[in-house]
Amino acid sequence: MDFKTLKTFQMIVKYGSFARAAKEMNYVQSTVTMQIQKLELDLGVQLIERGHGKEFRLTEAGRLFHDQSMQIVKNMEQLQTSLSNLQLGETGHIRIGVTEPTGSYRLPGILKEFMSMYPNIRISLEFASTPTLTERILRGELDFSLCSAPNRGNDLYFERLFQEEFVALMPKDHPLALKAVLAPEDIRGYRLLITAETCPYRRRLEMVMQEMGNLSLDTMEIGSMTALKFFVENGLGIALIPKILVEPTAAGTTIRTLSGNLIYMTVGILCKASAYPLQFASQRLYQFLKLHLSEQSTF
């Protein structure tokens, strides 16, 4: 007994005719007759009593089978539609990892537009650092992430999309506010507010400091990237921060551009190498993000 046979039986009952059922399903009538005969043989009961000519009626077993197989046919048709929509990228559940500030400042507007176009696609977001997101991707817990480039290699695929521009944020009356452009060595001697140790932006800063001769800095660790500007507003120090976080600049603070390697951080799409190219709804969202985020690129 298979789905096609169940559907054939339902069509015979619906139209009251073997010939009409055959026409609707694009079969020859003999095929329909053989399907029902095999179905009755498999079940061990007679479902249809044939009369003279084209007349027939359902047996008691046939009525029971018709009533209880209707939902099976409906469920199978719905499943076929769902699988077809999944293959077309029209439906599905996408699990995305994202780092800040991309998650809070760039993604909401893009996802709003995407979800209005594809209302049957469900999206779950996880905010974390790049190392954490990398591990979750490798464990199969996320489909892909928007983050910085990972440290580890061959089993991952990373495609850069845009560069996050950095500026120095400081109180308006800070001594460094007198300079139009800051170099890494200018920061020495002033308290620098930094993010958590696992943050790729902090690691980038530390690498630049080492390149400049391992400059020693007076630092204060702030666990949240988005919280840095509020600590600057209260005069606790200066911060190297993505420009998107501080536009427009809050009262009492000002920004200065940075020279050299401090001015950007590359952000892109990260997934398992074996999962690329992405499939179904993930591929549709990937293309949408690539289009909209690449427009913001400074490459």
Side-chain angles (χ1 to χ4, degrees):
M1 180 174 59
D2 57 26
F3 172 61
K4 288 182 179 179
T5 302
L6 287 179
K7 193 166 183 179
T8 298
F9 178 77
Q10 292 291 336
M11 296 292 278
I12 291 170
V13 177
K14 178 179 179 180
Y15 293 110
S17 166
F18 277 68
R20 178 70 186 279
K23 181 179 179 181
E24 291 293 328
M25 301 192 70
N26 200 27
Y27 294 154
V28 296
Q29 186 169 337
S30 60
T31 299
V32 171
T33 300
M34 289 175 60
Q35 282 184 330
I36 299 305
Q37 290 173 344
K38 185 176 186 307
L39 178 61
E40 290 177 325
L41 183 63
D42 290 343
L43 294 173
V45 293
Q46 185 179 3
L47 301 175
I48 296 175
E49 287 184 356
R50 292 138 180 102
H52 297 291
K54 298 181 180 179
E55 294 180 0
F56 72 86
R57 72 179 184 87
L58 294 179
T59 64
E60 183 179 357
R63 292 193 299 272
L64 175 66
F65 187 78
H66 172 258
D67 292 342
Q68 296 197 13
S69 65
M70 281 184 68
Q71 192 59 48
I72 296 174
V73 171
K74 287 181 180 178
N75 289 342
M76 289 299 294
E77 288 176 339
Q78 184 177 1
L79 178 59
Q80 285 183 328
T81 300
S82 296
L83 289 173
S84 176
N85 288 337
L86 182 69
Q87 289 179 312
L88 293 171
E90 300 289 341
T91 187
H93 178 203
I94 313 172
R95 305 161 302 167
I96 310 172
V98 62
T99 54
E100 293 284 28
T102 303
S104 294
Y105 286 80
R106 298 187 186 275
L107 208 51
I110 296 174
L111 289 184
K112 179 182 179 181
E113 183 178 351
F114 179 83
M115 295 175 75
S116 68
M117 296 170 60
Y118 305 100
N120 294 321
I121 294 178
R122 186 161 63 96
I123 297 175
S124 298
L125 294 175
E126 176 167 334
F127 287 70
S129 65
T130 295
T132 298
L133 296 177
T134 300
E135 292 301 323
R136 296 212 59 192
I137 285 173
L138 291 173
R139 291 199 299 266
E141 297 169 356
L142 294 171
D143 297 305
F144 66 87
S145 290
L146 282 170
C147 57
S148 59
N151 290 330
R152 48 194 305 177
N154 294 333
D155 46 357
L156 293 165
Y157 172 82
F158 180 78
E159 180 178 347
R160 64 182 192 174
L161 295 183
F162 67 95
Q163 290 180 330
E164 199 71 79
E165 181 184 357
F166 273 62
V167 293
L169 180 69
M170 65 194 70
K172 278 189 174 180
D173 58 358
H174 195 280
L176 291 181
L178 298 174
K179 305 191 75 162
V181 179
L182 299 184
E185 57 268 22
D186 293 329
I187 302 170
R188 184 165 43 188
Y190 299 102
R191 182 185 295 125
L192 179 66
L193 307 179
I194 58 175
T195 49
E197 188 175 357
T198 57
C199 177
Y201 302 106
R202 173 172 168 178
R203 293 203 307 271
R204 175 81 175 188
L205 173 62
E206 290 172 341
M207 289 174 58
V208 171
M209 294 298 106
Q210 290 175 359
E211 291 171 2
M212 296 300 297
N214 206 13
L215 294 177
S216 60
L217 297 174
D218 174 15
T219 60
M220 177 179 178
E221 185 173 303
I222 309 296
S224 167
M225 169 72 71
T226 54
L228 286 174
K229 61 181 179 181
F230 300 110
F231 285 79
V232 173
E233 289 174 25
N234 284 275
L236 289 170
I238 64 174
L240 304 183
I241 192 167
K243 188 176 181 180
I244 195 172
L245 284 177
V246 294
E247 291 185 329
T249 309
T253 64
T254 187
I255 61 174
R256 293 293 181 267
T257 57
L258 301 163
S259 65
N261 293 328
L262 286 178
I263 63 172
Y264 71 91
M265 170 64 72
T266 300
V267 178
I269 288 179
L270 177 69
C271 67
K272 276 185 177 180
S274 59
Y276 186 84
L278 297 168
Q279 300 294 311
F280 309 138
S282 291
Q283 173 66 11
R284 193 174 291 278
L285 179 56
Y286 157 72
Q287 294 292 347
F288 197 82
L289 290 171
K290 186 174 179 179
L291 173 64
H292 286 74
L293 290 174
S294 294
E295 291 173 353
Q296 305 172 27
S297 176
T298 57
F299 291 136

